[in-house]
Amino acid sequence: MLALSKTKPGPGADLVRMDVPRIAADELLIKVERASICGSDLPIYNWTAWAPKRLRLPMVFGHEFCGTVVEAGSATRDFHRGDLISVESHVYCGLCTQCRNGQRHVCRNLKILGIDTPGGFGEYARVPARCAWKHKDRSLAPVASLLEPIGNAVYAALCEEVVGKSVMVLGCGPQGLFAIGAAKAGGAKPVIAVEGAPYRMRMAKRMGADLVLSPNDPALRAKIEKASDGALDIVLEMSGAPPAIELGLKAVRSGGRLSAFGIPPRELSIDWANDVVFKGVRIMGIAGREVFKTWYTTDALLRSRTLDPRPVVTHRFPLRRFKKGFAVMNAKAKNCGKVVFEIGGV
Amino acid sequence: MLALSKTKPGPGADLVRMDVPRIAADELLIKVERASICGSDLPIYNWTAWAPKRLRLPMVFGHEFCGTVVEAGSATRDFHRGDLISVESHVYCGLCTQCRNGQRHVCRNLKILGIDTPGGFGEYARVPARCAWKHKDRSLAPVASLLEPIGNAVYAALCEEVVGKSVMVLGCGPQGLFAIGAAKAGGAKPVIAVEGAPYRMRMAKRMGADLVLSPNDPALRAKIEKASDGALDIVLEMSGAPPAIELGLKAVRSGGRLSAFGIPPRELSIDWANDVVFKGVRIMGIAGREVFKTWYTTDALLRSRTLDPRPVVTHRFPLRRFKKGFAVMNAKAKNCGKVVFEIGGV
Amino acid sequence: MLALSKTKPGPGADLVRMDVPRIAADELLIKVERASICGSDLPIYNWTAWAPKRLRLPMVFGHEFCGTVVEAGSATRDFHRGDLISVESHVYCGLCTQCRNGQRHVCRNLKILGIDTPGGFGEYARVPARCAWKHKDRSLAPVASLLEPIGNAVYAALCEEVVGKSVMVLGCGPQGLFAIGAAKAGGAKPVIAVEGAPYRMRMAKRMGADLVLSPNDPALRAKIEKASDGALDIVLEMSGAPPAIELGLKAVRSGGRLSAFGIPPRELSIDWANDVVFKGVRIMGIAGREVFKTWYTTDALLRSRTLDPRPVVTHRFPLRRFKKGFAVMNAKAKNCGKVVFEIGGV
Amino acid sequence: MLALSKTKPGPGADLVRMDVPRIAADELLIKVERASICGSDLPIYNWTAWAPKRLRLPMVFGHEFCGTVVEAGSATRDFHRGDLISVESHVYCGLCTQCRNGQRHVCRNLKILGIDTPGGFGEYARVPARCAWKHKDRSLAPVASLLEPIGNAVYAALCEEVVGKSVMVLGCGPQGLFAIGAAKAGGAKPVIAVEGAPYRMRMAKRMGADLVLSPNDPALRAKIEKASDGALDIVLEMSGAPPAIELGLKAVRSGGRLSAFGIPPRELSIDWANDVVFKGVRIMGIAGREVFKTWYTTDALLRSRTLDPRPVVTHRFPLRRFKKGFAVMNAKAKNCGKVVFEIGGV
């Protein structure tokens, strides 16, 4: 089979030919249909930041993917050849404190597909059956590689109820855009988006944001205050930009909630006394999605079209044009949403 | 009447004679029985930190107090001469977003008795009836000035359930000591306390801590890990010391909770990516107590002796010996728990 | 002033002239603008069921109303002449266990305006200030008598999150219709309504129900099963009809939730073992609305038009035509939604 | 091996010799150490009630058991020969709505060990690895067959927090006794037990009940009212007796919670309007335990001795004396707690 592998240190990756993986009794072999590029695939491709410290090469990467089952391990239950599945990339042990308490997404022994073990940028992939989300039918096939990232956004937005609440989304990359959709689906009002790139500001509007502001707007705080009637209930920090995190902590109302999803590049200075303690806020770290509680909600929102992620998918390529895909994602102008590789037909 | 007033800038305070306050229709006049010194009374007395910026002098300070009703305003309901009351120091408006959503303790228009309006270090005090907790009988009278600070600890510890969970309390001043008691009352196991002052380490043990560790112990992290079976569920940060906050964020398990009550003296540097986002923790800012949900729980725990705060009260003085009381609290050695002024008999 | 009073036992009521009420220090005098007929006003008007046992005559009834403040008691805060207010009909004591634990709507000493003390079917009414919801502006004036009943529906629907969940609403009188709107606003999908009256079936559709079924449909259970993909997460029982309650308990999935709002006319026989215990369901009794948490949400949903209640208001009359209003409500055919009396202009 | 099998319709059971079971790739073979008699084993043994309709004979019954792993299927993870395990008797599919939403205990496709598939009253048993709770060490071995029923009680008591709340436990069979222990462990105060059998009244006291009342006490309601200070927050209905269920619904305060665990023998008549709707109560059906959230809590409470179940174990027999064991359980006088079969040594 063909797969996109990180074969050696340094920028780039190679499309290589390799054996189709063999599966264990509790695994599935899937023929990959679609795989999308996650922001965290960029450090791998560009060989920057944490990637050199974490990956052992060679490694087939890519952790947002879907496909059809071609072989189900002997110990799996309820999976059959031809089933469409999306993949939970967090491979959990099932036995640690977190796993036993409904928090498998932060399993103590977590491995991530495409980072710690081979991933989905290939024609076939092996997936632990416990990490497979089986679709009821093929209606979500075109967006089925996106359930994993949409799940992040759904969990960030809906980890506590949002109905009737004012929500601000910081950063309108794909995760921020999905978060806008999730907040709207849950009845938030208004949803205020903050984003600097004009292309993404337009996409934020298209995903349902009631108001889109630039982080450089000199009247930013005043406009947030006005739009939220003086009480911004919830902040979804999807950017990781240190000034955005600071803005979120300052702007959220006392007793409000900030979901922390974006990854800043370094340590941050926080006014813990005034912005955390005295305000009585709740800061929720968001790593992945609840397995499978968030998946269930995400699936329901997608099937009912309450959340329509399609505007976010701006580029589709075959896998052999992977360089083009990564170039789009790496471009400074951020004139893209999600980039999806169309790998195998059905 | 006699009252302890901050009459002018600079360290110290004065015991002055003044008129008994007049009350409005929705207020109570109480004869103060006991008042205790809060850690936040020290910057007022010593005239350091935030106090000079916040207080308008002269001001009778003290916000942990109790007493008997001597006059009930015409528009109050269900209060009568002779009722024993404890005082919620957070004077809430009742009309803002927070007040209407069960978060009166972080009211947008919050005033604090003894800081923004005259407090309880005097023979009489006026108190808005909506801030009065009426006791069923006099059984809690000896500790009735402590419901306010115990409430902080109860809210910090029990804002989410603790039963069967491992809890670490950072800092064993009075608030930390009460937090140990609250965690034990809620069924936490084990409760690990971290404190450097030998006197307070002994008190931590007396309040029920299963293990008391020094922050200077070189094997601190390993001992925490072992005592919590490798999964520290909850951290109650009651000290405000930056190294303690860092320890808490590092030591809490993924998916765990950190209650942030202690006030650090400056901004903090936080490893937001690793200690907040990837761990999927919940950081809960704790300012005051839920009004009156926490009071109800606190009252129940005290009446049933499930939580016994009396070991924490190490010093009792008449108000005229206020200098002695503050000297005890200001001493470097921290050989004290709570200092209570015995003001009026019944 | 003129007011609609129940002056003597027996069906009907009288429009009588009486003194404008005098208010206490913690009350407001309001000039009533609109008042709507609640289903529970019918037993009073018709003098059936519980009404003769509960009411002491004469009594001005009506508990869904709004108006402008003409006088604010001396001990009230933040209310001024001209403020538009809606009225919480549950007059709570503020001091019992429930009131102190965020459950004022089921206060131990609850009095209901228009039942236990004079209500809103008159030109003026006195209202405890603690039961007044002050509007930010006049934009909701046309529906401001409806916040109280919409609040019931919002609390019934949204007492637990509904986003992405399947919901069935039983009974499409005004409360059921509002419940459809509330479930939709919260992101429920699908919302299945069950109602027998053709007029109300059409209104259910108009309020956003994805599917409207007749209780007499022989394939009812199969259609519910199919529409909810075999797992009906939530039932909102708004009718009180014993067969509806039974249907709800049978149809809800294991681990699901049933909100019990409708009042059955007699005791019910329940299969406690199979329908409650083994299924592990949660049955939530809904009496009134959380004060003011539900109000806050309701206000936000109405102001943002996420929930539009106007289709439910089918009839408007001046108070002098009260007989017509009650006749519409009493008619067997149920060709009505909400009946609103237009009492005073501004 | 020897196993206690229901070989034919009618009262009793037979100790028969049979082959040791063969396991599938995702199963464990365990050497059973201890198994205890559940109340629901009695209809099987006595061949009454639902048993004849549910069981296909022959069937080895018994679903509360523990043992050591002697063989781990090839697809299992982290289980090894010699591991001590307790068994979750609810065999869940892992794929239905409930399983994907943290409610595996009410799985749509639930099978129960010892009822639908062979159970634990034998020398060996096969257990799906996903239903095995692996102990950290052997310290809980003497009570390890009890984690399953204690889990019921822990879930019934602690499905919502109890700290500082008044709790009434109805029925003091083993489940009620464990529920007393669980409520105490969680900080409930007072815990009031209602039980008629003198032997069990004494055991209730021993398990920590603050007050034990007879259901025949003519002043029962008044005593409950007094002990709970007029506000009984929580009822744990562990008996299934219709008068107890009615008592629970009447006695719980408005806004309180009733956990419904006991199985009544027939349909019940309920005053839905007054006891459910107007009171605004929450009725929680309790079937089994949250898998494995409740297990985690239960394990922690047992290991820390916060909950000590040993007083409840009143009888221990070898399996060959099974008739004696069932006779003790069937006796009218109820002079027993839990009956445990000691099957295999280590």
Side-chain angles (χ1 to χ4, degrees):
Chain A
M1 71 169 194
L2 280 172
L4 187 61
S5 179
K6 190 82 194 178
T7 55
K8 54 185 182 297
D14 297 292
L15 201 60
V16 298
R17 189 158 295 276
M18 58 175 64
D19 289 343
V20 168
R22 289 207 205 153
I23 61 169
D26 62 353
E27 294 183 327
L28 305 174
L29 180 67
I30 70 158
K31 186 167 188 307
V32 178
E33 293 189 15
R34 286 174 184 83
S36 33
I37 304 179
C38 174
S40 66
D41 289 323
L42 297 184
I44 299 175
Y45 187 83
N46 300 334
W47 207 240
T48 53
W50 55 269
K53 281 171 269 174
R54 175 81 172 265
L55 269 80
R56 295 194 195 174
L57 306 188
M59 181 65 71
V60 175
F61 62 123
H63 56 267
E64 300 179 358
F65 61 108
C66 63
T68 48
V69 175
V70 292
E71 187 188 343
S74 59
T76 64
R77 284 169 293 121
D78 203 49
F79 290 98
H80 304 99
R81 231 184 129 76
D83 287 345
L84 175 66
I85 65 159
S86 291
V87 178
E88 167 55 61
S89 62
H90 284 200
V91 183
Y92 54 92
C93 75
L95 300 157
C96 69
T97 302
Q98 286 89 291
C99 283
R100 281 170 158 168
N101 277 286
Q103 301 177 313
R104 293 184 279 199
H105 59 297
V106 284
C107 166
R108 185 184 181 91
N109 306 303
L110 196 66
K111 301 281 176 228
I112 299 184
L113 289 175
I115 291 176
D116 301 308
T117 63
F121 286 160
E123 290 180 300
Y124 292 88
R126 52 188 276 229
V127 174
R130 69 185 182 280
C131 293
W133 174 266
K134 179 177 170 171
H135 288 273
K136 294 186 179 74
D137 53 47
R138 292 196 55 84
S139 62
L140 293 184
V143 295
S145 75
L146 301 177
L147 267 80
E148 198 260 27
I150 298 172
N152 293 330
V154 166
Y155 181 38
L158 304 180
C159 60
E160 294 182 343
E161 60 155 18
V162 300
V163 59
K165 296 210 158 72
S166 52
V167 171
M168 176 168 71
V169 177
L170 297 174
C172 297
Q175 296 290 358
L177 294 168
F178 293 143
I180 292 168
K184 294 295 292 185
K189 192 77 187 186
V191 175
I192 305 162
V194 179
E195 166 63 46
Y199 183 90
R200 291 182 164 177
M201 292 177 83
R202 288 192 297 274
M203 293 185 75
K205 206 77 196 164
R206 214 170 145 201
M207 286 302 289
D210 298 289
L211 179 66
V212 183
L213 298 170
S214 162
N216 306 313
D217 188 329
L220 181 62
R221 287 293 299 280
K223 288 181 181 175
I224 294 166
E225 183 87 1
K226 181 163 176 242
S228 62
D229 233 338
L232 180 64
D233 296 304
I234 295 166
V235 171
L236 309 179
E237 206 303 295
M238 310 303 283
S239 75
I245 297 172
E246 187 181 355
L247 170 65
L249 287 169
K250 296 289 179 204
V252 72
R253 72 165 171 85
S254 290
R257 185 240 303 179
L258 182 145
S259 283
F261 175 80
I263 305 297
R266 55 175 191 277
E267 296 213 345
L268 294 175
S269 184
I270 298 283
D271 187 351
W272 187 267
N274 290 302
D275 292 346
V276 180
V277 178
F278 290 138
K279 286 178 84 164
V281 297
R282 295 177 306 294
I283 299 174
M284 322 291 270
I286 303 294
R289 318 127 287 276
E290 288 190 306
V291 184
F292 282 98
K293 197 163 177 232
T294 305
W295 284 81
Y296 183 79
T297 303
T298 305
D299 184 77
L301 295 179
L302 293 177
R303 284 171 66 87
S304 65
R305 303 252 163 132
T306 311
L307 168 52
D308 183 352
R310 290 171 304 176
V312 179
V313 181
T314 53
H315 297 76
R316 294 181 183 270
F317 299 104
L319 187 56
R320 65 183 159 76
R321 295 191 59 204
F322 70 91
K323 284 180 189 165
K324 183 72 186 150
F326 281 97
V328 165
M329 289 284 286
N330 273 326
K332 269 270 158 41
K334 301 294 173 203
N335 287 338
C336 68
K338 204 77 187 171
V339 175
V340 175
F341 294 125
E342 308 267 6
I343 298 178
V346 260
Chain B
M1 71 171 194
L2 280 172
L4 187 61
S5 179
K6 190 82 192 177
T7 54
K8 55 184 181 297
D14 297 292
L15 201 60
V16 298
R17 189 159 296 275
M18 59 175 63
D19 288 344
V20 169
R22 290 208 204 155
I23 60 169
D26 62 354
E27 293 182 327
L28 305 174
L29 180 67
I30 69 158
K31 185 166 190 306
V32 179
E33 293 192 12
R34 288 174 184 82
S36 33
I37 304 179
C38 174
S40 66
D41 289 323
L42 297 185
I44 299 175
Y45 187 82
N46 300 333
W47 208 240
T48 54
W50 54 269
K53 280 171 270 175
R54 175 83 171 262
L55 271 79
R56 295 195 196 173
L57 307 188
M59 181 65 73
V60 174
F61 61 123
H63 56 267
E64 301 179 358
F65 60 107
C66 63
T68 47
V69 174
V70 291
E71 186 188 344
S74 60
T76 65
R77 285 170 294 118
D78 203 48
F79 289 97
H80 303 100
R81 234 185 125 77
D83 287 344
L84 175 66
I85 64 158
S86 290
V87 178
E88 167 55 61
S89 62
H90 285 200
V91 183
Y92 54 93
C93 75
L95 300 157
C96 69
T97 302
Q98 285 90 292
C99 283
R100 280 170 160 169
N101 278 285
Q103 301 178 312
R104 293 184 279 199
H105 59 297
V106 284
C107 166
R108 187 184 181 90
N109 306 304
L110 197 65
K111 301 278 178 230
I112 299 184
L113 290 175
I115 291 176
D116 301 307
T117 62
F121 286 160
E123 291 179 300
Y124 292 88
R126 52 188 275 230
V127 174
R130 69 185 183 282
C131 293
W133 174 266
K134 178 177 170 171
H135 288 272
K136 294 188 179 73
D137 52 47
R138 292 196 56 84
S139 61
L140 294 183
V143 294
S145 75
L146 301 176
L147 267 80
E148 199 260 25
I150 297 172
N152 292 330
V154 165
Y155 182 39
L158 304 180
C159 61
E160 292 182 345
E161 60 155 20
V162 300
V163 59
K165 296 212 159 69
S166 51
V167 172
M168 177 166 71
V169 177
L170 297 174
C172 297
Q175 294 291 358
L177 294 167
F178 292 142
I180 292 169
K184 294 294 293 183
K189 191 78 187 188
V191 175
I192 305 163
V194 179
E195 166 63 45
Y199 183 90
R200 289 181 166 178
M201 292 178 81
R202 289 192 297 275
M203 293 185 76
K205 205 78 195 164
R206 216 171 143 199
M207 286 303 288
D210 297 288
L211 179 67
V212 182
L213 297 170
S214 162
N216 306 314
D217 187 329
L220 180 61
R221 287 292 300 278
K223 288 180 180 174
I224 294 167
E225 183 87 1
K226 182 165 175 240
S228 63
D229 234 339
L232 180 64
D233 297 304
I234 296 164
V235 171
L236 309 179
E237 207 304 295
M238 310 303 284
S239 75
I245 296 171
E246 187 182 353
L247 170 65
L249 288 168
K250 296 289 179 204
V252 72
R253 73 165 171 85
S254 290
R257 185 240 305 179
L258 183 145
S259 282
F261 175 80
I263 303 298
R266 55 176 188 276
E267 295 214 345
L268 292 175
S269 184
I270 298 283
D271 186 350
W272 187 266
N274 290 302
D275 292 346
V276 179
V277 179
F278 291 138
K279 288 178 82 166
V281 297
R282 296 179 304 295
I283 300 173
M284 323 291 270
I286 303 295
R289 324 120 287 274
E290 288 189 306
V291 183
F292 281 97
K293 197 164 177 233
T294 305
W295 284 82
Y296 184 78
T297 303
T298 304
D299 183 77
L301 295 179
L302 293 178
R303 285 171 66 87
S304 65
R305 303 253 163 130
T306 311
L307 168 52
D308 183 352
R310 290 171 304 174
V312 179
V313 182
T314 53
H315 297 76
R316 294 181 182 271
F317 298 104
L319 188 56
R320 63 182 161 76
R321 297 191 57 205
F322 69 91
K323 284 179 188 165
K324 183 74 185 152
F326 281 97
V328 165
M329 289 283 287
N330 273 325
K332 268 274 162 31
K334 301 296 173 200
N335 287 338
C336 68
K338 204 78 188 171
V339 174
V340 175
F341 293 124
E342 310 266 6
I343 298 178
V346 258
Chain C
M1 69 170 195
L2 280 172
L4 187 61
S5 180
K6 191 81 193 176
T7 55
K8 55 183 180 299
D14 297 292
L15 201 60
V16 298
R17 189 159 294 274
M18 58 175 65
D19 289 343
V20 169
R22 290 209 205 153
I23 60 169
D26 62 354
E27 293 182 328
L28 305 174
L29 180 67
I30 70 159
K31 184 164 190 307
V32 179
E33 292 190 14
R34 289 175 182 82
S36 33
I37 305 180
C38 174
S40 66
D41 288 323
L42 296 184
I44 298 175
Y45 187 83
N46 300 333
W47 208 240
T48 53
W50 54 269
K53 281 170 269 174
R54 176 83 171 263
L55 270 78
R56 296 193 196 174
L57 305 188
M59 180 66 71
V60 175
F61 61 124
H63 56 269
E64 301 179 358
F65 61 108
C66 63
T68 48
V69 174
V70 291
E71 187 189 346
S74 59
T76 64
R77 284 171 294 121
D78 203 49
F79 289 98
H80 304 100
R81 231 184 129 78
D83 288 342
L84 175 65
I85 65 159
S86 290
V87 179
E88 167 56 60
S89 63
H90 285 200
V91 183
Y92 54 92
C93 75
L95 301 157
C96 69
T97 301
Q98 286 90 290
C99 284
R100 282 171 158 168
N101 278 285
Q103 301 178 311
R104 292 183 280 200
H105 59 297
V106 284
C107 166
R108 185 183 182 92
N109 306 304
L110 197 65
K111 301 279 178 228
I112 299 183
L113 290 176
I115 292 177
D116 301 308
T117 62
F121 287 160
E123 291 179 300
Y124 292 88
R126 53 188 274 229
V127 174
R130 67 185 184 282
C131 293
W133 175 266
K134 179 176 169 170
H135 288 272
K136 293 187 179 72
D137 52 47
R138 292 197 56 85
S139 61
L140 294 183
V143 295
S145 75
L146 301 176
L147 267 79
E148 199 258 28
I150 297 172
N152 293 329
V154 165
Y155 182 39
L158 304 180
C159 61
E160 293 182 345
E161 58 155 21
V162 300
V163 58
K165 296 210 159 72
S166 52
V167 172
M168 178 167 70
V169 177
L170 297 173
C172 297
Q175 295 290 358
L177 294 168
F178 293 141
I180 292 169
K184 295 294 292 184
K189 191 77 187 187
V191 174
I192 306 162
V194 180
E195 167 63 46
Y199 182 90
R200 290 181 165 178
M201 292 177 82
R202 288 192 298 273
M203 293 185 76
K205 205 80 195 161
R206 215 170 144 201
M207 286 302 288
D210 298 288
L211 179 67
V212 182
L213 298 169
S214 162
N216 307 314
D217 187 329
L220 180 61
R221 286 293 299 279
K223 288 180 180 174
I224 294 167
E225 182 87 1
K226 180 162 176 244
S228 63
D229 234 338
L232 180 64
D233 296 305
I234 297 165
V235 171
L236 309 179
E237 207 304 294
M238 310 303 285
S239 75
I245 296 172
E246 186 181 356
L247 170 64
L249 288 168
K250 296 289 180 204
V252 73
R253 72 164 171 86
S254 291
R257 185 239 305 179
L258 183 145
S259 283
F261 176 80
I263 304 297
R266 54 174 190 276
E267 295 214 346
L268 293 175
S269 184
I270 299 283
D271 186 350
W272 187 266
N274 289 303
D275 292 347
V276 179
V277 179
F278 291 138
K279 287 178 82 165
V281 296
R282 296 178 304 295
I283 300 173
M284 322 292 271
I286 303 294
R289 318 124 291 273
E290 288 190 305
V291 184
F292 282 98
K293 199 164 175 231
T294 304
W295 284 82
Y296 183 79
T297 303
T298 304
D299 183 77
L301 296 179
L302 293 177
R303 285 171 65 87
S304 65
R305 302 252 164 131
T306 312
L307 168 52
D308 183 353
R310 290 170 304 175
V312 179
V313 181
T314 54
H315 296 75
R316 294 182 181 270
F317 298 104
L319 188 56
R320 64 183 160 76
R321 296 192 57 206
F322 69 90
K323 284 180 189 165
K324 183 73 184 151
F326 281 97
V328 165
M329 288 284 287
N330 273 325
K332 266 273 158 33
K334 301 296 173 202
N335 287 339
C336 68
K338 204 78 189 169
V339 175
V340 175
F341 293 125
E342 309 266 7
I343 299 178
V346 257
Chain D
M1 71 168 194
L2 281 172
L4 188 61
S5 180
K6 191 80 193 177
T7 55
K8 54 184 184 297
D14 296 293
L15 201 61
V16 298
R17 188 158 294 276
M18 58 174 65
D19 288 342
V20 169
R22 288 208 205 155
I23 61 170
D26 64 351
E27 292 182 329
L28 305 174
L29 181 66
I30 71 159
K31 186 165 188 305
V32 178
E33 292 191 14
R34 288 175 183 81
S36 33
I37 305 178
C38 175
S40 67
D41 289 323
L42 297 185
I44 299 175
Y45 188 82
N46 300 334
W47 208 240
T48 53
W50 54 270
K53 281 171 269 175
R54 176 81 172 264
L55 270 78
R56 296 196 195 172
L57 307 188
M59 181 64 73
V60 175
F61 62 123
H63 56 268
E64 300 179 358
F65 60 108
C66 63
T68 49
V69 174
V70 291
E71 188 188 343
S74 59
T76 65
R77 284 170 293 121
D78 203 49
F79 289 99
H80 303 99
R81 233 185 126 77
D83 287 344
L84 175 66
I85 64 158
S86 291
V87 178
E88 167 55 62
S89 62
H90 284 200
V91 183
Y92 55 92
C93 75
L95 300 157
C96 69
T97 301
Q98 286 90 291
C99 283
R100 281 170 158 169
N101 278 286
Q103 302 178 313
R104 294 184 278 201
H105 60 296
V106 285
C107 167
R108 186 183 180 92
N109 306 304
L110 197 65
K111 301 279 177 229
I112 299 184
L113 289 175
I115 292 176
D116 301 307
T117 62
F121 286 160
E123 290 179 300
Y124 291 88
R126 52 188 277 230
V127 174
R130 69 185 183 281
C131 294
W133 173 267
K134 179 176 169 171
H135 288 273
K136 293 187 180 75
D137 53 47
R138 293 196 56 84
S139 62
L140 294 184
V143 295
S145 75
L146 302 177
L147 267 79
E148 199 260 25
I150 298 172
N152 293 330
V154 166
Y155 182 38
L158 304 180
C159 60
E160 292 182 344
E161 60 155 20
V162 301
V163 59
K165 296 210 158 71
S166 52
V167 172
M168 177 167 72
V169 177
L170 297 174
C172 296
Q175 296 290 359
L177 294 168
F178 292 142
I180 292 169
K184 293 295 292 184
K189 191 79 186 186
V191 175
I192 305 163
V194 179
E195 166 64 45
Y199 182 90
R200 290 181 164 178
M201 293 177 81
R202 288 192 298 273
M203 292 185 76
K205 205 79 195 163
R206 216 171 141 198
M207 285 303 288
D210 298 289
L211 178 67
V212 182
L213 298 170
S214 163
N216 307 313
D217 187 329
L220 181 61
R221 287 293 299 279
K223 287 180 180 175
I224 294 167
E225 183 87 0
K226 182 165 175 239
S228 62
D229 233 338
L232 180 64
D233 297 303
I234 297 165
V235 171
L236 309 179
E237 206 305 294
M238 310 303 285
S239 75
I245 296 171
E246 186 181 355
L247 170 64
L249 288 168
K250 296 289 180 204
V252 73
R253 71 165 171 84
S254 290
R257 185 238 306 179
L258 182 145
S259 282
F261 176 80
I263 304 298
R266 55 176 189 277
E267 295 213 344
L268 293 175
S269 185
I270 299 283
D271 187 350
W272 187 267
N274 290 303
D275 292 346
V276 179
V277 178
F278 290 137
K279 286 178 84 164
V281 296
R282 297 178 306 293
I283 300 173
M284 322 291 270
I286 303 294
R289 320 124 289 273
E290 288 189 306
V291 183
F292 283 96
K293 199 165 175 230
T294 306
W295 284 82
Y296 183 80
T297 304
T298 304
D299 183 76
L301 295 179
L302 294 177
R303 284 173 65 87
S304 65
R305 303 252 163 129
T306 311
L307 167 52
D308 183 352
R310 289 171 306 175
V312 179
V313 182
T314 53
H315 297 76
R316 294 181 182 270
F317 298 105
L319 188 56
R320 64 183 159 74
R321 297 191 58 204
F322 70 89
K323 285 180 190 164
K324 183 71 185 152
F326 281 97
V328 165
M329 289 283 288
N330 273 325
K332 268 274 163 27
K334 301 296 174 200
N335 287 338
C336 67
K338 204 78 188 170
V339 175
V340 176
F341 293 126
E342 308 266 7
I343 299 179
V346 259

